[in-house]
Amino acid sequence: MAKKTVASLQTASKRLTKAIKMVKSPKTGAYIFQESIMTPEEVDSFLNKK
């Protein structure tokens, strides 16, 4: 079951977004979370990347 969380963050000059993606580890088979802070335009490419 995949989980997608996107939270909006605002700074003084830029609008940023924190995206959290759950991916399966190739070594252990356990699920891990990848977090990244980026601009809202880059969120879709981050979530679609495997």
Side-chain angles (χ1 to χ4, degrees), residues 34-49:
Q34 288 183 339
E35 298 182 20
S36 181
I37 297 176
M38 63 196 78
T39 61
E41 293 81 24
E42 298 172 341
V43 172
D44 287 333
S45 64
F46 172 74
L47 293 176
N48 291 332
K49 193 180 348 175

Side-chain angles (χ1 to χ4, degrees), residues 1-4 19-36 46-47 49-50:
M1 177 182 214
K3 182 176 183 178
K4 175 174 81 171
I20 303 170
K21 178 171 62 169
M22 192 166 99
V23 295
K24 193 171 189 177
S25 173
K27 280 187 173 181
T28 62
Y31 284 96
I32 58 173
F33 293 97
Q34 288 183 339
E35 298 182 20
S36 181
F46 172 74
L47 293 176
K49 193 180 348 175
K50 290 192 175 193

